[in-house]
Amino acid sequence: MKNITFYRRFETDILAGRKTITLREASDADFVAGDQVRVSRYEDDVYFCNIEVTGVTPVQFDDLNDTHAVQENMTLPELKQVISEIYPGLKELFMIEFRLI
Ligand SMILES: CC(=O)Nc1ccn([C@H]2C[C@H](O)[C@@H](CO)O2)c(=O)n1
């Protein structure tokens, strides 16, 4: 089974179903719809759930909008700030949509 990590500060939102996408660089987006993926925390690799990937779509940083932000349970300025801190200067992102299984 493939694995993906999330920063631990997002664990609660994922488990509550409030966060249903993640935006990643290409090297971290090797998933296709239907993949069942083990999810663990980036900081300590502790497992916390499994997800099913429901779609993977390229998205430009400059095209991020309020819909993406809602799916991340953030405001759009918060989302752009988070992405800019994780991937400084990166323009091409991949939206990984998922659901808890
Ligand atoms: C190693 C690494 O990059 N880990 C990441 C990357 C992104 N996220 C979260 C942060 C935002 O909510 C979205 C969009 O990038 O995904 C993460 O938890 N861990």
Side-chain angles (χ1 to χ4, degrees):
M1 184 181 273
K2 292 180 180 177
N3 188 79
I4 192 169
T5 62
F6 285 87
Y7 294 115
R8 67 187 312 158
R9 66 185 188 272
F10 300 119
E11 178 179 352
T12 305
D13 277 352
I14 293 166
L15 292 176
R18 290 188 290 262
K19 177 177 172 64
T20 59
I21 66 166
T22 185
L23 297 155
R24 301 296 174 107
E25 64 183 357
S27 66
D28 203 15
D30 186 22
F31 301 101
V32 295
D35 279 351
Q36 298 196 346
V37 182
R38 178 184 184 275
V39 181
S40 59
R41 300 194 303 232
Y42 175 73
E43 291 85 350
D44 55 12
D45 204 32
V46 169
Y47 163 86
F48 64 91
C49 68
N50 289 332
I51 56 173
E52 180 181 337
V53 172
T54 56
V56 181
T57 312
V59 58
Q60 296 295 309
F61 179 89
D62 293 338
D63 292 336
L64 291 175
N65 60 39
D66 286 322
T67 300
H68 298 116
V70 168
Q71 290 170 299
E72 290 264 17
N73 195 35
M74 296 183 202
T75 66
L76 184 55
E78 285 171 343
L79 177 58
K80 288 190 163 184
Q81 179 68 29
V82 167
I83 298 294
S84 296
E85 288 170 3
I86 299 173
Y87 303 122
L90 187 65
K91 291 296 183 187
E92 183 174 54
L93 300 161
F94 290 84
M95 175 177 67
I96 301 167
E97 299 173 273
F98 61 84
R99 66 176 187 87
L100 284 168
I101 54 175

